[in-house]
């Protein structure tokens, strides 16, 4: 994004390896689930000697095959009688019975029990693929009295699981399965959690897997095993409930429905007088029940149920028998229908009372038997997540709404619609998770309306009862005259909101663009330097709390784009103010050309130009952290909603990832430009550190922290370091970014000084003890000053090579000539062989003195030094790594800074003016809040 002309740089810096246009290699942060970072099960090949496959073959773990061969095909001819059954032994036995064992693939005896081996008794193999991906099993010592709890504790210790984490969170499972496929992949067919007090070795003795199957013990997470068991229990409960409904419908047809004609005729022929008398008595009893229940009995029913005389009861005519039987069946049907209506709600579980349904088959009460209850529409059995209540309506999604009990107190629940679902709460549209109280009205789609009830808690006042009406927006919240408040009360409420220190910004979507531009424009206008990031964070909070979910990704993308545009304008302004890019006055042009250079900016001018870039770097870093937190919440929502809504959330996550990449680019660009101009200023100040003499009368080395008392040669370098430190503190830059900024400055200083030292030592008496002492003293003064401001560790790390070279040159000449090559290589490891040989070969021993033989490198190192470079490369700079902790802003805490509070109040009035400007003139006057402002 930067100009290629600026990257090339000025020719005056090219010869001395000046890194013009530094590009920072920064790893961008990606927000993906941890499961995507690891290889899938199908891509892991285990070559461990601890494998449980046959022999020592390599086992390739692959996903289980979807096409399972049916056992009925292999056993299709198993129960056909043999043609020669009479001649076989046993006479009447099936001919194929003796061949049943031959039809099943035999399993070697040593592979039936995979967790134990006959030759190693007392050692139990516990498989833990669910704990550590790629691990096969761990061996533990076991006796017949060892319990499952003890073995799990020992196995978790071998898998490296912390005791507090593994306490109660894992369970030993007895798994029966087989090896399938050409690679021998393990396929589990049955899993049973072993009780904590059960003894696994005893289970192996008393219970064996059937032919063709193997058994092994595995450690799995208890929550996963319980989830699988819960799903199986629900499936079993559903099957039994379906069977009960089928049986009940059959009993209804038998008791209340018309019987087939042939069956009715047979019953009437065999009916006796005592049967008819009993039927009459039953009718009288049912009539009494109906009267007690308050049922309305019509004239026809009274006529049918009137008291029967003895003569009529004893009449054996066929017509009378058929009439009595029809009346009996009708009475039974009425009684059963009445008993279904006389139901009582549950007393120990929350439930949903149906107020408006879509079908006559809908139930009136839906009991919430689990802590998490999901409403949805039935799909194919193998698709979609688990659904507790199926609703039949065209606008109900496969997973429509989720209600979950809250942990703190009974009675309070949380309701959350799935993406794209039409849900209302007490008549208002519900787009995000909200609290659900007993008595609240929950609408699903256009056809269903429920009332949430919890008999365990007292019934509070329903929230849907009429309350003071408030329309959206500031005008609706503070100017509505229908709420019953007086003008003074409304003015006081508006003034309290404007001056509130609560972290809140209310606005409508149509004012969002103007609000974002105003926040970006006011950057640097207040003493609180992180105000843009904080105010943009309030916009993020408002979007996630009030606006619909699809609005958040668009907001993040727009924020990132506006910040990028503002930073690019500042970068161009700083570049245009550089002396080489300015057009000098014609009268000064000739004199500057004679000097061959353009006047450089002072460190004060450079710091003033870099202040907007530093501010945006700090704000972009804080804003990126706030966006990351919201994106992590979206990923959790993606995991919760399952696969039926992946497309919408995945698209939102991609938009957020692109916006965060733009913020990454902003941070790296501002960092690059800052260190570029700082190193450019350092380049002209560093050579004095090698040339100046610190032992002068003007230097006062007793006050090392005061720049005015430091030697003239190092005062300019320290002034640049001090101005940079004050700039980073003033802009409230993240501590990690401050450390990396100085790390790059120290890297550049070390490389520039070392390369200059290598150049000056060639062909001249520069490498001698007296000069080395001056360089060492100047370097010690710089390091001591940096240690005093808290940068000593970073400086010592990056100045290591220059410090090592100065130490070597400070060795007295008499001691240095006695040293050997191997000794110097071991005592000064920071120098490469080529660099050490360059220093020694150019060391000034005096006229006519030969170089010691011990300084000569061995032949093998001479060949390496011939192709080695003695100068430090500027391209080996440290990469920029963005921090992930230690941030300053918290957009949910009250505003305590006065400067930030004043800016927040100004933005609230700015939004009020925008909203008022969008209204007609007569409505603005009707609001009557002009005087309250």
């Amino acid at each position: 994004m930067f100009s290629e002309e600026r990257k090339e740089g000025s020719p005056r810096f090219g010869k001395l390896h000046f890194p013009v246009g530094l590009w920072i290699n920064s790893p961008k942060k990606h927000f993906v689930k941890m499961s995507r970072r690891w290889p899938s099960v199908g891509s892991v090949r285990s070559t461990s000697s601890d494998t449980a496959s046959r022999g020592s073959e390599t086992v390739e773990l692959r996903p289980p095959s979807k096409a399972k061969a049916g056992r009925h095909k292999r056993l299709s001819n198993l129960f056909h009688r043999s043609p020669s059954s009479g001649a076989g032994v046993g006479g009447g036995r099936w001919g194929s019975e003796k061949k049943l064992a031959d039809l099943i693939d035999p399993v070697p005896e040593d592979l039936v029990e995979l967790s134990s081996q006959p030759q190693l008794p007392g050692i139990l193999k516990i498989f833990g693929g669910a704990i550590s991906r790629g691990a096969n099993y761990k061996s533990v010592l076991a006796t017949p009295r060892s319990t499952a709890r003890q073995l799990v504790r020992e196995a978790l210790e071998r898998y490296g699981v912390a005791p507090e984490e593994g306490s109660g969170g894992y369970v030993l499972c007895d798994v029966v399965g087989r090896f399938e496929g050409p690679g021998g992949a393990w396929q589990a067919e049955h899993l049973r959690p072993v009780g904590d007090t059960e003894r696994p070795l005893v289970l192996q003795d008393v219970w064996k897997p059937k032919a063709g199957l193997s058994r092994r013990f595995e450690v799995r997470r208890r929550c996963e095993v319980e989830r699988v068991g819960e799903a199986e229990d629900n499936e079993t409960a559903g099957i039994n409930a379906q069977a009960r409904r089928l049986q009940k419908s059959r009993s209804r047809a038998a008791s209340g429905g018309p019987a087939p004609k042939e069956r009715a005729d047979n019953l009437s022929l065999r009916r006796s007088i005592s049967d008819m008398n009993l039927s009459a008595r039953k009718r009288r009893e049912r009539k009494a029940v109906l009267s007690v229940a308050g049922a309305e009995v019509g004239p026809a029913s009274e006529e049918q149920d009137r008291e029967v005389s003895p003569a009529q009861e004893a009449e054996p005519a066929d017509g009378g028998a058929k009439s009595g039987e029809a009346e009996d069946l009708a009475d039974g049907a009425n009684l059963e229908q009445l008993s279904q209506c006389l139901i009582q709600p549950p007393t120990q579980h929350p439930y949903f009372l149906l107020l408006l349904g879509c079908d006559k088959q809908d139930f009136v009460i839906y009991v919430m038997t689990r802590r998490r209850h999901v409403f949805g529409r039935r799909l194919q059995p193998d698709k979609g997540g688990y659904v507790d209540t199926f609703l039949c309506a065209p606008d109900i999604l496969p997973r429509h709404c989720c209600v979950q009990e809250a942990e703190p107190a009974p009675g309070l629940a949380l309701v959350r619609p799935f993406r794209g679902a039409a849900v209302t709460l007490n008549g208002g549209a519900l787009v995000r998770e909200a609290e659900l109280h007993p008595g609240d009205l929950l609408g699903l789609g256009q056809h269903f309306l429920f009332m949430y009830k919890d008999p365990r808690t007292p019934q509070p006042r329903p929230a849907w009862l009429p309350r003071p009406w408030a329309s959206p927006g500031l005008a609706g919240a503070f100017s509505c005259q229908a709420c019953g408040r007086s003008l003074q009360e409304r003015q006081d409420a508006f003034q309290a909101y404007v001056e509130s220190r609560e972290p809140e910004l209310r606005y409508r979507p149509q004012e969002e663009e103007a609000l974002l531009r105003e926040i970006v424009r006011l950057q640097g206008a207040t003493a609180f330097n992180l105000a843009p990031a904080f105010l943009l964070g309030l916009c993020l909070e408002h979007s996630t709390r009030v606006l619909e979910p699809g609005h958040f990704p668009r907001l993040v993308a727009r924020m990132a784009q506006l910040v990028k545009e503002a930073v690019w304008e500042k970068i161009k302004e700083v570049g245009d103010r550089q002396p080489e890019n300015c057009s000098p006055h014609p009268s000064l042009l000739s004199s500057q050309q004679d000097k061959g250079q353009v006047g450089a900016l002072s460190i004060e001018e450079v710091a003033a130009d870099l202040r907007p870039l530093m501010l945006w770097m700090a704000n972009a870093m804080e804003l990126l952290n706030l966006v990351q937190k919201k994106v992590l919440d979206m990923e959790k929502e993606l995991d919760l909603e399952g696969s039926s809504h992946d497309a919408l959330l995945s698209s939102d996550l991609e938009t957020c990832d692109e916006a965060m990449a733009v913020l990454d680019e902003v941070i790296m660009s501002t960092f690059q430009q800052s260190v570029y101009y700082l190193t450019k200023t350092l380049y002209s100040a560093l050579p004095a550190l090698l040339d100046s003499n610190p032992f002068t009368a003007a230097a006062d080395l007793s006050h090392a922290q005061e720049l005015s008392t430091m030697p003239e040669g190092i005062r300019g370098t320290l002034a640049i370091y001090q101005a940079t430190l004050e700039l980073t503190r003033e802009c409230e830059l993240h501590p990690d970014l401050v450390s990396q900024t100085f790390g790059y400055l120290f890297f550049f200083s070390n490389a520039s000084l070392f390369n200059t030292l290598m150049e000056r030592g060639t062909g001249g008496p520069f490498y001698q003890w007296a000069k080395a002492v001056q360089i060492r003293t100047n370097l010690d003064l710089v390091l001591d000053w940096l240690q005093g401001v808290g940068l000593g560790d970073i400086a010592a790390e990056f100045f290591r090579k220059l410090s090592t070279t100065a130490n070597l040159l400070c060795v007295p000449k008499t001691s240095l000539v006695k040293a050997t090559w191997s000794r110097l290589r071991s005592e000064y490891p920071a120098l490469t062989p080529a660099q050490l040989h360059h220093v020694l070969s150019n060391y000034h021993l005096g006229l006519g003195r030969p170089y010691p033989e011990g300084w000569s490198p061995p032949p093998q190192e001479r060949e390496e030094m011939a192709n080695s470079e003695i100068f430090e490369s500027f391209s080996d700079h440290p990469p920029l790594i963005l921090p992930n902790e230690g941030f300053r802003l918290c957009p949910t805490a009250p505003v305590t800074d006065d400067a930030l509070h004043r800016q927040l109040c100004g933005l609230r009035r700015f939004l009020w003016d925008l909203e008022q400007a969008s209204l007609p003139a007569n409505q603005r006057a009707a609001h009557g809040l002009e005087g309250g402002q």
Side-chain angles (χ1 to χ4, degrees):
M1 71 182 271
F2 304 104
S3 173
E4 292 296 327
E5 297 177 359
R6 194 177 295 117
K7 286 192 207 177
E8 295 300 331
S10 175
R12 65 190 292 261
F13 300 109
K15 296 181 180 180
L16 297 181
H17 311 280
F18 182 72
V20 181
L22 305 173
W23 290 101
I24 310 301
N25 299 324
S26 172
K28 295 184 179 181
K29 295 187 177 181
H30 299 281
F31 299 88
V32 295
K33 296 185 293 186
M34 290 300 297
S35 60
R36 299 177 186 170
R37 298 179 180 270
W38 294 94
S40 62
V41 177
S43 64
V44 178
R45 181 183 294 272
S46 175
T47 58
S48 173
S49 60
D50 296 336
T51 181
S53 60
R54 299 176 178 85
S56 60
E57 298 177 356
T58 299
V59 176
E60 183 178 4
L61 302 177
R62 299 177 179 175
S65 174
K66 295 182 179 179
K68 296 183 179 179
R71 296 186 61 186
H72 65 278
K73 295 182 180 179
R74 294 187 291 152
L75 306 178
S76 58
N77 299 322
L78 190 61
F79 298 103
H80 292 284
R81 185 177 294 274
S82 174
S84 58
S85 60
V89 179
R93 296 181 63 82
W94 296 97
S96 61
E97 185 177 2
K98 60 183 179 180
K99 300 179 181 180
L100 178 60
D102 299 335
L103 295 177
I104 301 176
D105 296 334
V107 176
E109 184 67 24
D110 57 341
L111 293 181
V112 173
E113 295 291 346
L114 300 178
S115 292
S116 61
Q117 297 180 2
Q119 61 271 23
L120 296 174
I123 296 180
L124 194 65
K125 300 178 182 178
I126 298 181
F127 294 78
I131 301 177
S132 178
R133 187 77 57 91
N136 201 349
Y137 67 84
K138 298 294 182 182
S139 299
V140 297
L141 297 177
T143 65
R145 299 184 60 83
S146 300
T147 62
R149 183 189 295 108
Q150 298 171 347
L151 297 179
V152 168
R153 183 168 58 250
E154 296 294 333
L156 292 179
E157 182 179 355
R158 285 164 173 77
Y159 277 108
V161 179
E164 59 274 7
E165 181 181 355
S167 176
Y170 295 87
V171 63
L172 186 67
C173 297
D174 190 356
V175 184
V176 176
R178 66 176 77 245
F179 292 102
E180 295 183 354
W186 171 257
Q187 180 66 34
E189 296 191 3
H190 177 72
L191 181 144
R192 184 185 74 87
V194 182
D196 292 341
T197 58
E198 294 189 62
R199 295 174 170 81
L201 291 184
V202 176
L203 291 178
Q204 285 186 339
D205 292 337
V206 301
W207 178 54
K208 300 291 184 182
K210 65 181 181 180
L213 297 176
S214 302
R215 185 249 303 280
R216 72 183 192 182
F217 290 105
E218 299 181 2
V219 174
R220 298 197 178 190
R221 297 184 183 274
R222 187 180 297 273
C223 59
E224 297 177 358
V225 176
E226 292 177 352
R227 188 183 304 114
V228 174
E230 182 180 359
E232 294 177 353
D233 294 343
N234 293 332
E235 181 180 359
T236 304
I239 295 174
N240 286 274
Q242 181 67 18
R244 287 193 297 269
R245 287 194 294 268
L246 182 60
Q247 182 180 6
K248 192 172 184 180
S249 63
R250 290 176 178 174
S251 64
R252 290 178 184 176
S255 61
K261 184 177 184 301
E262 297 179 358
R263 180 169 175 265
D265 294 341
N266 295 334
L267 290 175
S268 63
L269 291 176
R270 292 194 293 269
R271 192 166 187 178
S272 61
I273 297 177
S274 60
D275 292 334
M276 290 187 291
N277 293 338
L278 183 60
S279 300
R281 189 180 303 111
K282 289 181 179 179
R283 284 196 299 271
R284 286 194 296 271
E285 294 175 355
R286 289 168 184 164
K287 182 177 180 180
V289 172
L290 292 174
S291 63
V292 172
E296 295 182 0
V297 182
S301 300
E302 294 179 357
E303 185 67 22
Q304 293 175 359
D305 292 336
R306 67 182 182 275
E307 187 175 355
V308 182
S309 62
Q312 291 172 339
E313 291 178 359
E315 185 178 357
D318 293 343
K322 293 181 180 180
S323 176
E325 182 181 358
E327 294 174 357
D328 188 14
L329 294 176
D331 291 340
N334 294 333
L335 181 61
E336 186 171 357
Q337 292 176 1
L338 181 61
S339 63
Q340 291 181 3
C341 297
L342 297 177
I343 59 176
Q344 292 184 353
T347 59
Q348 300 297 328
H349 296 279
Y351 61 92
F352 298 90
L353 180 64
L354 181 67
L355 303 181
L356 180 64
C358 183
D359 195 350
K360 295 182 179 180
Q361 302 297 327
D362 294 332
F363 293 98
V364 178
I365 290 179
Y366 294 87
V367 183
M368 188 173 172
T369 57
R370 301 192 307 149
R371 297 189 64 86
R372 186 169 181 266
H373 197 88
V374 178
F375 291 90
R377 178 165 50 88
R378 186 183 299 275
L379 289 177
Q380 299 180 10
D382 57 344
K383 292 186 179 180
Y386 184 79
V387 175
D388 296 271
T389 297
F390 292 102
L391 302 176
C392 296
D395 55 352
I396 298 297
L397 300 183
R399 287 165 63 84
H400 198 90
C401 178
C402 174
V403 179
Q404 185 172 359
E405 288 189 60
E407 293 293 340
L412 178 63
L414 300 176
V415 56
R416 183 178 60 84
F418 290 100
R419 291 297 299 271
V423 180
T424 61
L425 180 61
N426 296 326
L430 184 66
V431 295
R432 294 193 174 274
E433 185 177 74
E435 293 183 355
L436 183 66
H437 300 272
D440 287 349
L441 300 181
L442 183 64
L444 305 182
Q446 302 294 329
H447 301 83
F448 288 94
L449 182 62
F450 298 93
M451 177 182 288
Y452 176 69
K453 306 281 285 185
D454 192 344
R456 301 170 298 177
T457 59
Q459 176 69 39
R461 181 180 184 273
W464 44 267
L465 289 179
R467 293 180 180 274
W469 178 81
S471 61
L474 296 177
F478 302 105
S479 301
C480 176
Q481 301 179 5
C483 61
R485 294 181 296 180
S486 63
L487 175 60
Q488 185 62 38
E489 291 174 342
R490 284 183 275 126
Q491 289 179 348
D492 294 342
F494 176 74
Q495 196 68 22
Y497 163 73
V498 171
E499 298 177 357
S500 171
R501 290 185 176 267
E502 292 298 320
E504 182 182 15
L505 267 181
R506 302 181 188 177
Y507 64 89
R508 300 180 301 178
Q510 51 266 39
E511 284 99 25
E512 184 176 78
E513 178 68 20
L515 174 62
L516 296 180
R517 290 187 176 276
E518 182 68 11
I519 293 175
V520 173
R521 187 186 67 83
L522 293 177
Q523 188 264 355
T526 178
F528 189 79
N529 296 305
L530 299 180
F534 181 83
L535 297 174
L536 293 176
L538 294 186
C539 297
L540 295 177
E541 292 292 331
H542 179 78
S543 175
T544 55
R545 186 179 62 253
V546 178
L547 304 180
E548 53 96 12
H551 182 268
F552 177 78
R554 300 192 298 270
L555 173 61
V556 174
R558 187 56 184 155
M559 283 183 180
Q561 187 63 30
L562 289 176
V563 171
K564 178 181 178 181
E565 293 175 358
V567 169
W568 176 235
E569 291 297 327
K570 294 297 181 181
I571 291 176
K572 290 194 298 184
E573 292 177 5
V574 174
D576 294 339
R577 284 196 293 268
Q578 297 303 305
E580 62 269 19
N581 298 327
C582 295
S583 298
H585 194 272
S587 61
L588 301 177
L589 185 59
S590 59
S591 60
Q592 291 181 353
Q593 290 177 350
D594 294 339
K595 295 179 181 179
Q597 61 181 2
V598 181
L601 295 178
S602 64
I603 183 58
E604 291 78 10
E605 295 173 327
V606 172
D609 290 341
L610 293 182
R611 186 177 184 276
L613 298 183
M614 284 279 189
L615 286 175
W616 274 122
M617 188 195 310
N619 281 273
M621 191 68 253
E622 295 287 343
L623 180 60
L624 179 61
N625 173 62
L626 299 178
V627 175
Q628 286 175 357
K629 292 180 179 179
K630 298 299 181 182
V631 172
L632 290 177
D633 295 338
M634 293 176 61
E635 289 184 346
K636 294 178 182 178
E637 185 178 355
L638 177 63
D639 297 336
L640 183 61
E641 292 192 0
S643 60
S644 58
H645 295 276
D646 279 358
L648 293 175
L649 268 178
S650 298
S651 177
D652 293 346
L653 288 175
E654 291 179 2
T655 303
C656 293
D657 286 341
E658 294 175 359
M660 288 187 292
V662 174
L663 292 178
D664 279 346
E665 182 183 357
V666 168
I667 297 171
M668 288 187 292
S669 301
T670 51
F671 181 86
Q672 172 198 359
Q673 293 297 311
S674 299
V675 298
Y676 169 75
Y677 291 112
L678 289 174
T679 53
K680 185 177 178 181
T681 308
L682 267 175
Y683 186 78
S684 58
L686 286 174
L689 191 145
L690 301 177
D691 299 332
S692 63
N693 182 11
F695 306 104
T696 59
D700 185 6
L701 303 184
S702 61
H703 300 83
Q705 297 302 317
E706 298 180 7
L707 293 184
S708 58
T709 62
M710 301 295 284
E712 185 68 25
I714 64 174
R715 195 177 302 168
T717 301
L718 294 182
I720 296 175
Y721 291 154
Q722 185 178 30
T724 304
L725 183 62
E726 292 175 355
L727 180 62
T728 56
R729 291 176 176 175
E730 179 186 354
C731 297
E732 300 185 46
L733 194 62
H734 193 280
D736 290 355
L737 294 181
V738 174
S739 300
Q740 295 185 69
T741 300
F742 277 97
Y744 196 94
L745 296 182
F746 297 155
F747 161 80
F748 173 83
S749 301
N750 173 79
S752 179
L753 289 173
F754 181 83
N755 292 346
T756 304
L757 188 62
M758 292 292 103
E759 288 179 353
R760 293 190 179 183
T762 304
F766 196 77
Y767 294 159
Q768 52 184 331
W769 180 85
K771 191 64 178 177
V773 171
Q774 296 178 7
I775 297 175
R776 178 73 264 181
T777 303
N778 286 333
L779 184 59
D780 287 341
L781 291 175
V782 172
L783 295 179
D784 292 343
W785 186 89
L786 293 174
Q787 182 69 35
V789 296
L791 299 172
D793 295 339
I794 305 175
E797 177 183 355
F798 285 97
F799 278 103
R800 181 178 293 112
K801 180 153 291 191
L802 180 63
S803 180
T804 301
T805 306
N807 292 338
L808 174 61
L809 295 175
C810 285
V811 176
K813 184 187 305 184
T814 56
S815 301
L816 187 61
V817 296
K818 299 178 183 179
T820 61
W821 175 265
S822 58
R823 174 188 167 187
L824 294 175
R825 288 282 292 126
S826 61
E827 291 181 356
Y828 304 97
L831 297 176
T832 65
Q835 293 169 348
L836 178 60
H837 182 263
H838 176 79
V839 173
L840 293 177
S841 61
N842 291 278
Y843 189 83
H844 185 67
L845 292 174
L847 296 177
R849 297 193 60 177
Y851 287 91
E853 293 293 334
W855 288 4
S856 300
Q860 60 271 18
E861 292 190 3
R862 287 181 179 274
E863 298 178 0
E864 297 179 3
M865 290 187 298
N867 301 322
S868 299
E869 181 67 40
I870 64 173
F871 296 105
E872 288 294 298
S873 174
F874 288 99
S875 61
D876 297 334
H877 56 78
L880 175 62
I881 301 176
L882 300 184
N884 54 13
E885 60 182 3
F887 298 96
R888 293 182 171 90
L889 292 184
C890 180
T892 59
V895 179
T896 57
D897 187 85
D898 294 337
L900 178 60
H901 179 247
R902 287 192 296 271
Q903 190 168 358
L904 179 60
C905 295
L907 283 178
R908 287 168 177 168
R909 294 186 181 276
F910 173 77
L911 290 173
W912 170 262
D913 295 338
L914 288 179
E915 188 171 338
Q916 291 296 296
S918 64
L919 297 175
N922 58 344
Q923 294 187 17
R924 297 180 216 167
H927 288 159
L929 286 184
E930 289 77 2
Q933 299 183 33

